[in-house]
Amino acid sequence: SQTIHQWPATLVQPVGSPLSLECTVEGTSNPNLYWYRQAAGRGLQLLFYSVGIGQISSEVPQNLSASRPQDRQFILSSKKLLLSDSGFYLCAWSVGAGVGETQYFGPGTRLLVL
Amino acid sequence: TQLLEQSPQFLSIQEGENLTVYCNSSSVFSSLQWYRQEPGEGPVLLVTVVTGGEVKKLKRLTFQFGDARKDSSLHITAAQPGDTGLYLCAGAWEGGGADGLTFGKGTHLIIQP
């Protein structure tokens, strides 16, 4: 069966510090991978998605970046965090595209920027 | 911009009551998913519907996809405190690729014992 892991679970970082959140998927090959941010009252905001190694699409301009160094590894990074980067970050995976696509989520990382 | 509107935004009812939450759009979905999310956790998939008019049941939960595939509803019968959570709908648009899933803001449901 497929599983998805995220770490860390919780992170408190000062403004201006770097960020690295990691997501890994097990039990599937060549998944589509996604990073979302969830803020209260705003729903899930898609930040990045990737259909393969080294292929990253950005949905929202910001000071965050994403990388996919391996097939089942997706990393969310920042060189300098802003207060507005605080939120709940979710990684998700899917297979295929188009009709019937379903995404499966990881447990999330709670980020607090102070 | 394609939007998914969920209603109500908040709902608090007593244990044993029935409820329905809605997910609506002006655009046509190729598929739609419902998720439930508990505080501090990731959303968990409940169901995927792909055919207009489709009805799926998951124990006390009944999911319906509109005939025109623009809307969906989730009905819970005899709600229990364990049903408490954030219910999210997400739609995949016709012609969308891997990024084609858009989420509603969710319905916060509280079932009081």
Side-chain angles (χ1 to χ4, degrees):
Chain A
S1 64
Q2 300 86 4
T3 56
I4 179 169
H5 305 278
Q6 287 186 243
W7 64 88
T10 305
L11 190 60
V12 181
Q13 291 284 91
V15 169
S17 64
L19 173 73
S20 181
L21 303 182
E22 189 165 343
C23 170
T24 57
V25 180
E26 297 176 357
T28 186
S29 296
N30 196 32
N32 303 314
L33 296 173
Y34 309 83
W35 277 112
Y36 289 88
R37 178 168 55 208
Q38 187 176 30
R42 298 186 64 183
L44 271 71
Q45 180 186 34
L46 180 63
L47 302 174
F48 301 94
Y49 72 94
S50 171
V51 298
I53 296 174
Q55 301 178 61
I56 308 295
S57 295
S58 174
E59 292 293 304
V60 180
Q62 58 214 323
N63 69 321
L64 299 172
S65 63
S67 62
R68 185 169 178 173
Q70 301 181 43
D71 181 43
R72 289 168 286 180
Q73 183 184 31
F74 205 22
I75 297 173
L76 183 68
S77 304
S78 175
K79 293 182 179 179
K80 290 185 178 181
L81 283 169
L82 306 173
L83 286 174
S84 57
D85 292 323
S86 293
F88 192 48
Y89 288 83
L90 290 160
C91 180
W93 67 273
S94 71
V95 291
V99 176
E101 176 188 327
T102 296
Q103 294 181 16
Y104 301 91
F105 287 85
T109 294
R110 176 76 60 189
L111 172 65
L112 179 60
V113 182
L114 301 174
Chain B
T1 301
Q2 296 152 325
L3 297 175
L4 270 174
E5 295 187 0
Q6 289 190 244
S7 61
Q9 187 175 357
F10 297 97
L11 183 60
S12 179
I13 63 172
Q14 294 295 123
E15 180 177 3
E17 295 183 7
N18 302 330
L19 67 108
T20 303
V21 298
Y22 302 91
C23 178
N24 295 287
S25 175
S26 58
S27 300
V28 177
F29 304 113
S30 58
S31 70
L32 187 139
Q33 289 82 37
W34 284 93
Y35 295 83
R36 180 171 67 211
Q37 184 179 21
E38 299 191 17
E41 300 180 9
V44 175
L45 178 70
L46 297 175
V47 76
T48 298
V49 288
V50 297
T51 305
E54 183 176 4
V55 176
K56 283 191 174 180
K57 292 190 175 183
L58 183 64
K59 297 183 180 179
R60 294 175 293 100
L61 278 60
T62 302
F63 304 86
Q64 186 162 6
F65 201 15
D67 291 341
R69 293 186 290 141
K70 292 184 177 182
D71 56 87
S72 180
S73 64
L74 159 58
H75 182 80
I76 301 179
T77 303
Q80 299 178 3
D83 296 326
T84 293
L86 175 66
Y87 288 80
L88 295 162
C89 69
W93 310 105
E94 286 192 323
D99 65 323
L101 205 61
T102 299
F103 283 81
K105 293 183 178 181
T107 292
H108 293 266
L109 176 64
I110 297 174
I111 309 301
Q112 300 178 23

